[in-house]
Amino acid sequence: MEQEKKGKVCVTGGSGYLGSWMIMKLLQLGYSVNTTIRSHPDLKRDVSYLTNLPNAPERLHIFNADLHKPESFNIAIEGCIGVFHVAHPIDFEDKETEETITQRSIDGIIGILQACLESQTVKRVVYTSSAATVLGDSSNIVDESSWTDVDLIRTLKPFASSYTISKTLTEKAALKFAEKNGIDLVTVIPTWINGPFITPQIPGSVRSSLEMILGHQSNIIKYPPIVPFVHVDDVTNAHIFLLENPNAKGRYICSAVEITREKLAQFLLTRYPEFQKQITEYTWTSRELKRSSLSSKKLLETGFKYKYGLEEMFDGAIDCCKQRDML
Ligand SMILES: NC(=O)c1ccc[n+]([C@@H]2O[C@H](COP(=O)([O-])OP(=O)(O)OC[C@H]3O[C@@H](n4cnc5c(N)ncnc54)[C@H](OP(=O)(O)O)[C@@H]3O)[C@@H](O)[C@H]2O)c1
């Protein structure tokens, strides 16, 4: 049965893993959704995985917008009560410089926040940040007061350093702009998002999570010694919970499970014995900095509950790969 109608919200980056799952869930919950996708001049995009979603014909509107042109988001934000800013230029192959990516990402979010201010209808903005913004020194547990040391990342240049720097500086710039201009901005800090997907291609973070089964690939994040995971549906629910909860304020780490990569291998071997050969032949090639444990205490104390464990994440991811003949 269709849920009672809620207000209209905007989701940026609707073509992506998290964005598309969020659209599906918001439509289920009774929201009307304006989403933004990038238009590619040479490519007619097939967005039937969005337009075929239940309730999409009545309540989903798709707009073209690009962080290159921050004002292109204005029309999608008009009349919305909330904005989920999910889009981010993700470039693990360093096709562009870190400075270019960071500048685009900051200009984009400031333009989006400005549009929210001018709309006079947006009550709260929820921004998808990343665990890359709270990298600690591996000796302690990090919480929302932690910030990645951008200068250290520039010096050490670990894999995905431009992503780490751009996410950190974008979240900082957004929080500062929001505070100065009286915008209600909440940020969500997810770890590795894993689980089922509705996108036609396998999402990057699911590809990373399944690397022991799918084999090595150069342009994805590698398992750190301790891998933190969260199910895509839990991250989505956390975003919606934080939009709706009147007491939400500031940053929220969203991470459900941490497991050493050795125990992860054991878990995969036991649960999916059909992939025994791939898992036992896999060799670690970590290019990741050691990470601290992350605490979700603040999110849990606000009343949020995680629903999923590793089993549901990997069952969902593997089933979706099989349905698309990727496994
Ligand atoms: N997946 C994870 O493990 C994880 C963990 C922590 C945080 N996050 C954050 O979650 C968000 C979504 O990530 P995801 O995993 O869903 O990645 P994704 O599938 O690659 O989605 C990224 C989205 O951003 C859009 N985008 C990229 N550059 C853009 C630009 N210049 N203008 C407008 N849109 C642009 C992409 O559009 P195209 O389809 O046109 O490329 C896509 O819709 C990101 O902010 C990411 O940093 C993800």
Side-chain angles (χ1 to χ4, degrees):
M1 198 179 73
E2 197 183 324
Q3 298 278 324
E4 193 189 329
K5 298 262 185 318
K6 295 200 173 179
K8 186 163 65 176
V9 292
C10 175
V11 177
T12 69
S15 56
Y17 179 30
L18 180 60
S20 57
W21 197 269
M22 210 178 268
I23 292 168
M24 180 178 74
K25 207 66 202 263
L26 287 162
L27 291 173
Q28 268 170 21
L29 290 171
Y31 283 97
S32 294
V33 181
N34 285 354
T35 193
T36 67
I37 60 169
R38 280 196 289 183
S39 63
H40 290 260
D42 314 326
L43 188 77
K44 176 130 179 46
R45 300 191 80 164
D46 178 5
V47 288
S48 54
Y49 63 103
L50 299 176
T51 53
N52 288 340
L53 286 169
N55 304 313
E58 305 82 37
R59 287 195 265 114
L60 175 64
H61 291 95
I62 300 180
F63 298 83
N64 285 324
D66 196 309
L67 295 165
H68 273 298
K69 289 192 191 144
E71 68 285 359
S72 58
F73 290 88
N74 294 8
I75 183 166
I77 290 171
E78 243 176 62
C80 289
I81 55 164
V83 171
F84 297 98
H85 179 35
V86 183
H88 187 80
I90 299 174
D91 171 13
F92 293 151
E93 292 168 291
D94 295 333
K95 290 183 191 147
E96 294 182 295
T97 64
E98 170 249 297
E99 290 79 6
T100 305
I101 291 178
T102 302
Q103 199 55 54
R104 181 179 315 138
S105 171
I106 292 179
D107 291 347
I109 200 165
I110 299 300
I112 286 168
L113 291 174
Q114 188 68 46
C116 294
L117 206 54
E118 283 161 16
S119 75
Q120 297 188 3
T121 54
V122 174
K123 301 207 167 20
R124 180 170 288 164
V125 182
V126 182
Y127 167 61
T128 316
S129 183
S130 162
T133 67
V134 292
L135 292 179
D137 64 5
S138 84
S139 60
N140 53 1
I141 295 180
V142 303
D143 62 17
E144 288 79 1
S145 64
S146 310
W147 284 101
T148 295
D149 180 343
V150 165
D151 292 333
L152 185 69
I153 300 294
R154 284 199 175 116
T155 309
L156 297 178
K157 291 191 175 44
F159 180 70
S161 50
S162 79
Y163 176 75
T164 303
I165 295 167
S166 64
K167 289 300 285 188
T168 305
L169 296 181
T170 301
E171 192 192 342
K172 279 192 170 175
L175 288 167
K176 192 170 163 197
F177 184 89
E179 190 177 7
K180 193 169 157 210
N181 292 282
I183 299 170
D184 185 344
L185 171 69
V186 170
T187 68
V188 185
I189 303 173
T191 49
W192 284 29
I193 305 176
N194 192 10
F197 50 94
I198 61 168
T199 51
Q201 309 299 331
I202 180 167
S205 62
V206 176
R207 180 77 184 64
S208 294
S209 306
L210 291 179
E211 207 191 30
M212 268 186 252
I213 293 171
L214 294 169
H216 287 298
Q217 194 170 307
S218 59
N219 59 347
I220 55 170
I221 305 245
K222 304 291 166 191
Y223 304 105
I226 297 176
V227 202
F229 287 112
V230 60
H231 192 288
V232 63
D233 201 52
D234 272 336
V235 183
T236 298
N237 290 342
H239 279 74
I240 300 170
F241 171 84
L242 291 170
L243 179 84
E244 294 177 344
N245 188 315
N247 301 322
K249 200 170 173 46
R251 313 175 79 200
Y252 289 86
I253 290 173
C254 183
S255 183
V257 179
E258 288 189 354
I259 185 166
T260 64
R261 53 192 186 184
E262 291 77 13
K263 284 199 175 137
L264 179 63
Q266 202 48 56
F267 162 82
L268 293 174
L269 270 175
T270 310
R271 195 161 180 92
Y272 313 106
E274 71 265 38
F275 301 120
Q276 185 186 14
K277 186 170 181 303
Q278 294 93 313
I279 297 166
T280 46
E281 285 176 0
Y282 182 85
T283 49
W284 312 117
T285 56
S286 185
R287 296 172 289 164
E288 283 267 297
L289 290 180
K290 275 196 175 169
R291 286 171 182 245
S292 309
S293 278
L294 287 101
S295 167
S296 275
K297 190 164 170 263
K298 184 179 172 196
L299 183 59
L300 296 172
E301 284 180 355
T302 312
F304 182 77
K305 289 189 176 61
Y306 292 106
K307 283 194 191 157
Y308 308 95
L310 275 185
E311 290 80 2
E312 291 94 349
M313 293 181 210
F314 280 92
D315 287 358
I318 288 173
D319 282 351
C320 286
C321 288
K322 284 182 176 166
Q323 283 160 18
R324 290 162 179 74
D325 287 329
M326 294 166 184
L327 260 179

